[in-house]
Amino acid sequence: MKLTGYYFTHLKEIVTEEYPENRSTLKMMDRFRGEVLIQHDEKNEHRCTGCQACEIACPNGTIKIITKQEIQADGKKKKRLEAFVYHLDMCTLCNLCIVSCPSDAIVMGQNFEHSVYDKKQLKKILNNPGSKLMEGVEE
Amino acid sequence: MLLEQNHITKEGEFVINMGPQHPATHGVLHLKVWLDGETIKKVEPHLGYIHRSIEKMCERLSYRQFIFTTSRMDYLSAHINNQACALVVEKALQLEVPPRAKAIRIIMAELTRLASHQLWWACMGLDLGAVTPFFYAFREREAINEIWEETCGARLTQNYIVPGGVMMDTHPNFRKRVKDVMKQIKDKAHEYEELLTGNVIFQERLKGVGYLSREDAISYGCTGPTARASGINSDIRKLFPYDGYEQIKFDEVLNSGGDCWARYLVRIEEMKQSVSIIEQLIDIIPEGDFQVKTKNVIKLPKGDFYQRVETARGELGVYIVSDGAASPYRCKFRSPNLSNLSAIPKIAEGAKIGDLVAIMATVDLVIPDIDR
């Protein structure tokens, strides 16, 4: 009773967390693993070469890389990323894909509120429409 | 034969099912209890409600991938499970882990032990009818979870310890945050004493209840705090040191009581030991690499490899048979909880039904580890 009385009169020593009331001020840790994302710069360019290292590293088959052959300016055909399909519903956020990526294209996002009404909404294509590979990544 | 056992002979005898959705079993454990009035005649655990076939799954995963599944066995000792798997791969490859990684691993493992025992303490109070301790224990556990969130990126299933070291270097705030938490735990230790340890009603519920003799503990294969409360030296950190535990000064907590109270005291004392281990290491984490380079595809040589570690609940053994391929031919986990559970029918014999809750609480089972 003494202890309960102490905390009853010392309200500043908060024992519990205030989620979801603190949602507007809540800041997750910078390494927090919430979801996989592809980083795009302001020119809508990403660093993913479509090498499929993450697809191989993933233990659950969460990632599916779809590539296409693209004709370059010099007339040569090269493999390019068409769609980075990510199944969030199967992902265990183990970070193995991020570690395996040779070109640092993918990162972990901080969003953790993934509840949706339909499972289909958890299947995402991570590369923006019309985005292309950043120059100098492939070398 | 089975029918004969199930037969109820006298008036006042009956069979009840405790679980699989009973709050005191902390998961989906199903205990079939034969009662004579309030006295327990026999207990029979029924398993299989949370079987996920982790051992079979491991046979299809590579040596980097199979570690994440073990976080989901004993989820309260996730780091230590990962460590066991990393160690067995390193043993097979004869890899030397950098000293920095070793120190980080030990700190993480002891933080896990602390967090696990705190959750046990919280739930123990809850099981025996005290709701308040839950919130105080969770306050400290939350602080430890924040350390993991900052350094590992996840709070429960971290997948941080990988073959060759640890996945990422520690966060710049790591040292300060760990020190703050250790200070907080030491400052608040008196609350734990006041709320439960010094509580007469609580002591009465535990003292002399659920006696497990030394001989029985050995024959049932009990390990961890359950065995140490019966006076058995079973600390793997002392007996078969790994990852540099041999250089650290700490005591193996023993108690010869054998009852629920002894098991309670052992765990409380183990928390203090864990704090002392972390405090020894936190200022002298060596500089250098946090991971040694491994090949892209890890292939173990032919043969079988075994590694044991001390989790918060006892001895976890990982046994891998390799045929030289990139994934294990057979992977077997020796989980501490299954052996500890097997002793429960013996401990509970002759006890009252209310005491079964206290026995379950002090043995501290994690059900996903039993079923895997």
Side-chain angles (χ1 to χ4, degrees), chain A residues 2-4 7 13 15-17 28-33 56-60 92 94-96 99, chain B residues 61 65 68 72 135-136 139 149-153 157-159 167-171 177 188 191 195:
Chain A
K2 190 182 145 201
L3 200 67
T4 311
Y7 280 106
E13 294 187 38
V15 172
T16 48
E17 297 283 312
M28 301 307 289
M29 306 284 181
D30 47 359
R31 284 188 191 175
F32 180 76
R33 310 206 288 251
I56 296 163
C58 181
N60 315 304
T92 57
C94 65
N95 212 33
L96 288 174
V99 175
Chain B
L61 297 172
Q65 292 170 342
F68 94 95
R72 283 145 182 90
F135 298 101
Y136 297 126
R139 172 189 54 197
E149 194 179 330
E150 198 172 46
T151 289
C152 319
T157 51
Q158 293 94 355
N159 192 30
M167 196 181 252
M168 294 162 271
D169 204 356
T170 53
H171 196 270
R177 209 178 261 271
K188 304 285 183 190
E191 292 185 358
L195 278 170

Side-chain angles (χ1 to χ4, degrees), chain B residues 96-103 164-166 286-293:
Chain B
E96 185 56 41
V97 181
R100 183 176 176 81
K102 282 186 177 177
V166 291
E287 292 296 317
D289 289 339
F290 58 89
Q291 198 180 10
V292 66
K293 273 243 181 294

Side-chain angles (χ1 to χ4, degrees), chain B residues 145-217:
Chain B
N145 274 350
E146 269 175 15
I147 298 174
W148 292 334
E149 194 179 330
E150 198 172 46
T151 289
C152 319
R155 295 162 66 89
L156 202 65
T157 51
Q158 293 94 355
N159 192 30
Y160 179 63
I161 297 173
V162 293
V166 291
M167 196 181 252
M168 294 162 271
D169 204 356
T170 53
H171 196 270
N173 292 343
F174 180 71
R175 210 175 119 221
K176 186 182 169 293
R177 209 178 261 271
V178 171
K179 280 189 154 181
D180 287 351
V181 173
M182 290 306 117
K183 188 174 176 299
Q184 185 188 343
I185 289 172
K186 282 200 288 192
D187 288 352
K188 304 285 183 190
H190 72 96
E191 292 185 358
Y192 288 50
E193 304 277 329
E194 266 174 57
L195 278 170
L196 288 189
T197 317
N199 189 326
V200 184
I201 306 166
F202 186 74
Q203 289 182 11
E204 287 295 314
R205 289 284 314 263
L206 299 184
K207 278 183 181 166
V209 169
Y211 179 70
L212 178 68
S213 69
R214 190 186 150 86
E215 290 72 30
D216 283 336

